[in-house]
């Protein structure tokens, strides 16, 4: 356990992740250029969510950390979505 | 003489410092989360005003800043790898690149805000209050608060990275004690993470 606990991520993995992130950025700009009405913000947010998962998993090392950290991050994300969802239920049905 | 050979570090727990950093990151996420909540409600209530006001923002500068932050996230992530590979020189170089990119981000932000100020747009400005609708005032208020708070995090992040860089140079942060650098990296990725959502919500409204 002492020796195995630190995984060294190769430089090229980080580079590939960067390329993916930049590509997704341009895709999110592209999707908002197309007129999709209310769905364009949704599209952009989907790309942002994919980007944030990449950052959390690779850049922030969650892939190599203990599972409880991933669980906690998931819990915080869920808490945030619950807050958004419940607040919108209130505003939408007023 | 005996003291010099003895390992005198009182207590070092890498997992615990990582957990502590993550708990702090959660509070930061929820701090910005609150602002995102306010943003989404006001946008829901004032869709047309938000669209109009969003067109005032410069998409090119926003996109350039996004790429700058993404690259800087990569360089600091690489620096943690190079520290583990005992390549001190490369670690220091990558951290210097990260700090430079952060500085460029702030310079872009300075010019971006400067253009807004030239157009008479700042929180509480006469132009904003007299000529704009309530929704537009809300949009620009949120724009300045959220990008401003984010820029403040960039400045704090730079300070933390400079401290980490200094300690790497002195050898206090090394492959056996990498926590400070790793936590600085986590903080920097948090700043990146927030921008990933700020960018489409402010710059990509059509």
């Amino acid at each position: 356990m002492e020796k195995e606990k630190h995984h060294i991520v190769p430089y090229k993995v980080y580079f590939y992740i960067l390329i993916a992130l930049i590509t997704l950025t341009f895709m999110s700009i592209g999707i908002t250029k197309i007129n999709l009405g209310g769905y364009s913000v949704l599209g952009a947010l989907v790309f942002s969510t994919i980007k944030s998962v990449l950052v959390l998993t690779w850049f922030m090392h969650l892939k190599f950390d203990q599972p409880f950290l991933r669980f906690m991050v998931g819990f915080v994300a869920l808490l945030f979505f619950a807050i958004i969802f419940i607040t919108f239920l209130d505003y939408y049905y007023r | 003489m005996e003291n010099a050979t003895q390992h005198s570090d009182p207590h070092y727990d890498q997992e615990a410092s990582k957990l502590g950093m993550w708990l702090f990151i959660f509070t930061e996420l929820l701090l910005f989360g609150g602002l995102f909540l306010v943003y989404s409600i006001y946008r829901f209530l004032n869709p047309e005003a938000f669209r109009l006001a969003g067109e005032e923002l410069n998409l090119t500068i926003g996109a350039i800043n996004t790429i700058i932050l993404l690259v800087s996230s990569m360089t600091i992530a690489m620096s943690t790898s190079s520290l583990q590979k005992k390549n001190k020189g490369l670690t220091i170089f990558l951290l210097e690149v990260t700090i430079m990119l952060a500085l460029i981000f702030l310079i872009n932000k300075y010019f971006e805000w400067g253009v807004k100020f030239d157009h008479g747009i700042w929180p509480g400005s006469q132009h904003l209050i007299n000529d704009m609708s309530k929704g537009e005032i809300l949009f620009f208020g949120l724009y300045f608060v959220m990008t401003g708070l984010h820029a403040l995090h960039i400045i704090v992040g730079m300070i933390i990275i400079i401290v980490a860089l200094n300690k790497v140079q002195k050898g206090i942060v090394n492959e056996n004690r990498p926590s400070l650098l790793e936590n600085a990296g986590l903080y920097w990725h948090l700043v990146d993470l927030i921008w990933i959502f700020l960018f489409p919500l402010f710059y990509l409204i059509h």
Side-chain angles (χ1 to χ4, degrees):
Chain A
M1 173 152 182
E2 290 84 34
K3 289 285 160 206
E4 272 302 316
K5 73 177 175 186
H6 240 94
H7 181 270
I8 301 178
V9 184
Y11 300 124
K12 64 168 190 282
V13 171
Y14 286 134
F15 182 70
Y16 294 150
I17 297 294
L18 174 72
I19 297 300
L21 288 168
I22 290 176
T23 311
L24 285 164
T25 303
F26 283 113
M27 284 165 80
S28 67
I29 294 172
I31 200 167
T32 47
K33 292 268 185 225
I34 313 164
N35 203 346
L36 293 171
Y39 290 108
S40 65
V41 64
L42 192 74
L45 284 179
V46 167
F47 283 119
S48 291
T49 308
I50 300 171
K51 281 164 77 181
S52 62
V53 169
L54 284 177
V55 170
L56 284 163
T57 315
W58 294 96
F59 282 177
M60 293 174 102
H61 292 169
L62 278 180
K63 188 175 166 61
F64 311 106
D65 281 332
Q66 298 191 31
F68 77 86
L69 268 182
R70 259 169 285 168
F71 174 76
M72 285 167 75
V73 173
F75 179 76
V76 170
L78 212 63
L79 176 68
F80 178 63
F81 286 121
I83 294 168
I84 292 267
F85 182 69
I86 292 166
T87 314
F88 265 90
L89 278 185
D90 179 24
Y91 271 90
Y92 201 73
Y93 292 109
R94 268 188 189 194
Chain B
M1 207 49 213
E2 254 179 42
N3 272 349
T5 52
Q6 246 173 23
H7 191 65
S8 61
D9 298 329
H11 182 67
Y12 183 75
D13 187 338
Q14 212 175 316
E15 283 301 312
S17 27
K18 188 182 283 174
L19 179 59
M21 191 64 204
W22 272 104
L23 288 176
F24 171 65
I25 285 174
F26 293 154
T27 70
E28 290 274 44
L29 285 175
L30 291 176
L31 166 70
F32 276 94
L35 289 168
F36 279 116
L37 178 68
V38 173
Y39 171 92
S40 55
I41 292 294
Y42 280 141
R43 181 166 170 179
F44 173 70
L45 295 175
N46 309 282
E48 199 48 33
F50 269 53
R51 196 188 59 75
L52 258 176
E55 270 167 15
E56 193 80 27
L57 300 189
N58 189 330
L59 174 63
T60 314
I61 289 192
I64 290 171
N65 265 352
T66 305
I67 291 167
I68 287 170
L69 267 197
L70 291 174
V71 174
S72 74
S73 248
M74 180 194 71
T75 54
I76 200 163
M78 283 177 166
S79 81
T80 58
S81 282
S82 70
L83 187 75
Q84 284 163 350
K85 290 181 178 174
K86 299 173 192 160
N87 193 341
K88 190 171 159 182
L90 183 61
T91 309
I92 289 166
F93 172 72
L94 286 166
L95 288 175
E96 283 167 350
V97 172
T98 310
I99 294 163
M100 281 310 295
L101 290 168
L103 199 64
I104 295 169
F105 180 95
L106 284 178
I107 291 168
N108 281 345
K109 200 94 247 169
Y110 168 82
F111 282 113
E112 199 192 343
W113 276 28
V115 171
K116 297 285 161 305
F117 292 161
D118 287 343
H119 293 178
I121 299 170
W122 63 85
S125 72
Q126 281 308 313
H127 174 52
L128 206 61
I129 290 169
N130 295 338
D131 310 328
M132 290 199 183
S133 69
K134 224 173 105 188
E136 285 168 288
I137 296 171
L138 283 169
F139 177 88
F140 284 114
L142 284 165
Y143 164 75
F144 281 112
V145 168
M146 290 175 83
T147 60
L149 190 61
H150 180 264
L152 195 66
H153 279 75
I154 297 262
I155 294 168
V156 173
M158 282 174 80
I159 294 168
I160 296 172
I161 296 169
I162 288 167
V163 171
L165 172 65
N166 200 350
K167 296 206 172 181
V168 170
Q169 246 156 2
K170 286 180 184 157
I172 303 169
V173 172
N174 52 51
E175 68 276 6
N176 296 315
R177 293 182 70 92
S179 279
L180 184 73
L181 181 63
E182 289 190 348
N183 286 346
L186 282 178
Y187 187 84
W188 195 250
H189 298 312
L190 161 80
V191 172
D192 189 23
L193 209 58
I194 292 162
W195 185 260
I196 284 176
F197 285 95
L198 281 180
F199 172 64
L201 289 178
F202 281 101
Y203 295 83
L204 296 179
I205 304 184
H206 287 280

